[in-house]
Amino acid sequence: MLERVFCESCIRSMTPGGFWFWTAVLVVVALIAFGFLWHHFRRARIIEDTPTSKVRSAAQGFVELEGWGKPVPGGDVVAPLTGLPCLWFRYKVEEYHRDGNRSSWRTLDSGLSDQNFLLDDNTGTCVVDPDGAEITPSTKDVWTGATRRPADKPKGFAAAALAMGRRYRYTEERLVKDDFIYALGYFETIGGGRISFDYDATIRDVIAEWKRDYQQMLERFDINNDGEIDMEEWKQVRIAARQEADKHKVQHDAAPSLHMLVRPPDRRLPFIVSTRLQDDIAKRYRWVSVACIVAFLLAGSYATFMLTARFG
């Protein structure tokens, strides 16, 4: 077998088109493998090098959090295939097709939840917006049925694998309440005085609002009753507007803080939500990196061998 693979005379006898096609395929495979190698290795390093923060004391920006999943009050989520309550779901409905000797499962319907949920680490709660996140859920059900929408509950993967005579296959993944959650993303706090208050802009907005009912403004500030607001009266307008802005600032500073974890603005940084432990996630990325190294070396080495055998 190896003699046929590393047969220099076979490579020299290939047509030019065939030779360059397979050489190009190997080079492309090597480049893709190298890209995936860098991607997964970098993610493993980011996971290992980012310290775990607490919600209460987390800095604004890219952070790592660990806690337990909780539902947003009033934001109940129900998984579409099983009807079970959850924090987040992803589902797929496939139909079995056979064409001669070929058979395959074709996706008919799929979707995922965009509902926010909470991460609670006993120091505080953080709202997780799952949009754009790489999510590894705790629960995955795969089962089959005779109708496009499932008429029965999951019976486990083994039952799904054995029931090949059934036409439809359903897959549903879920995050559920009290799941352990590892999260890596962009942390930001809204309210509680964290957002700077634009004092001058608030004054302008207050005056603009008063101007919409100019007659009432005249009744309030036209002291000499000449039907206009002169320079001295405008001073009073600005003093009153400043006092109103002071009230807005007090309300702004007193607003409760809302902690959010979202997709980082820098798309090179990962956004990960997983029910696995940090070490397990980093280890998985490293194993994928190892597989990519092997693919890169094999494809690159054989492309080099082909070029050497042909032109060396």
Side-chain angles (χ1 to χ4, degrees), residues 49-61:
D49 295 344
T50 304
T52 303
S53 301
K54 296 295 185 182
V55 171
R56 181 176 58 192
S57 56
Q60 304 295 289

Side-chain angles (χ1 to χ4, degrees), residues 22-146:
W22 288 111
T23 302
V25 168
L26 289 169
V27 170
V28 170
V29 169
L31 291 175
I32 292 174
F34 184 80
F36 275 98
L37 162 64
W38 172 250
H39 172 81
H40 287 81
F41 179 76
R42 184 171 180 270
R43 297 214 162 187
R45 289 298 304 272
I46 290 174
I47 291 170
E48 292 167 347
D49 295 344
T50 304
T52 303
S53 301
K54 296 295 185 182
V55 171
R56 181 176 58 192
S57 56
Q60 304 295 289
F62 190 70
V63 300
E64 175 183 279
L65 300 172
E66 292 182 346
W68 292 267
K70 304 290 183 182
V72 174
D76 297 334
V77 178
V78 176
L81 300 183
T82 60
L84 296 173
C86 61
L87 304 177
W88 175 91
F89 63 79
R90 179 166 54 213
Y91 75 94
K92 181 169 61 175
V93 178
E94 299 167 286
E95 185 178 19
Y96 183 73
H97 280 266
R98 178 178 289 278
D99 183 10
N101 294 327
R102 290 185 171 184
S103 61
S104 62
W105 290 97
R106 299 180 184 177
T107 300
L108 299 178
D109 188 19
S110 62
L112 71 165
S113 169
D114 60 359
Q115 177 69 43
N116 296 345
F117 56 89
L118 302 179
L119 184 152
D120 187 341
D121 69 353
N122 293 330
T123 72
T125 58
C126 173
V127 178
V128 179
D129 181 353
D131 183 33
E134 300 175 24
I135 298 182
T136 305
S138 60
T139 304
K140 180 177 180 179
D141 289 318
V142 181
W143 72 109
T144 58

